[in-house]
Amino acid sequence: MKKVLFLCMCVIALASCSSLDQKSQVGIKGNWTISQVSYPGSDYIKVTSFDVADSQCFVGSSWKFVSNNNTGEMSLAKAGCPSFTSPIVWSVTKEGAFTLKITEGEKAKRVSQGYYLQVRNQTENSFQLVDKVNVGGKTVDVVYQFNRM
């Protein structure tokens, strides 16, 4: 999971200073669940997602995205995994970069670190967020499959 320090300031103080993709953001608006976390082309790997929990703990997690102010909430409640709920701030750039801040109740401008992922295969009822992680010197994709609730 690539955790990055946000250095630029934008309209909503997120990672990318390039223009936002309003169509993609409106398409993501609503309530979603992660139905699968996969590692295409790789065997099972252990990844701690978003510095919260093992990536497989995110299967079944609930996500709410509000597009008019780029806020929302994510919540984990899978058995055998830590319970976790936090407000989020997010955006999608025209280049397909998804920026995410997990604010844990702090004001977004006080949260200086977040995550860059790529939006892929977006439809009305599903989309993927893809993270690139380094495993033993090799870059591996971690694919989070979102489905509309």
Side-chain angles (χ1 to χ4, degrees), residues 36-40 42 55-56 59 128 140-145:
Q36 180 181 22
V37 179
S38 61
Y39 322 97
S42 298
S55 60
Q56 293 302 314
V59 174
Q128 296 172 331
V140 176
D141 285 348
V142 179
V143 180
Y144 300 90
Q145 178 66 52

Side-chain angles (χ1 to χ4, degrees), residues 12-149:
I12 56 173
L14 285 177
S16 178
C17 290
S18 61
S19 55
L20 300 179
D21 185 341
Q22 296 297 328
K23 183 178 179 184
S24 288
Q25 290 187 164
V26 169
I28 290 175
K29 173 184 171 183
N31 296 310
W32 299 82
T33 187
I34 295 180
S35 61
Q36 180 181 22
V37 179
S38 61
Y39 322 97
S42 298
D43 293 332
Y44 177 82
I45 57 175
K46 186 167 179 64
V47 174
T48 300
S49 295
F50 310 111
D51 292 323
V52 171
D54 182 83
S55 60
Q56 293 302 314
C57 288
F58 281 80
V59 174
S61 61
S62 299
W63 295 70
K64 178 180 181 179
F65 297 102
V66 181
S67 62
N68 66 337
N69 65 3
N70 296 88
T71 63
E73 184 176 87
M74 53 90 65
S75 181
L76 277 72
K78 186 174 183 178
C81 294
S83 288
F84 182 82
T85 299
S86 178
I88 60 173
V89 178
W90 62 281
S91 69
V92 180
T93 68
K94 290 190 185 228
E95 295 78 29
F98 185 94
T99 58
L100 174 68
K101 283 186 180 185
I102 298 173
T103 63
E104 295 188 65
E106 289 288 327
K107 290 188 180 273
K109 67 181 179 181
R110 295 184 184 262
V111 178
S112 62
Q113 295 184 338
Y115 305 90
Y116 284 118
L117 298 98
Q118 287 292 309
V119 176
R120 291 195 188 147
N121 302 317
Q122 185 177 359
T123 69
E124 184 178 332
N125 293 308
S126 67
F127 71 95
Q128 296 172 331
L129 290 181
V130 181
D131 191 19
K132 298 206 177 283
V133 297
N134 186 326
V135 178
K138 179 181 164 189
T139 301
V140 176
D141 285 348
V142 179
V143 180
Y144 300 90
Q145 178 66 52
F146 284 78
N147 292 312
R148 192 173 295 280
M149 293 175 71

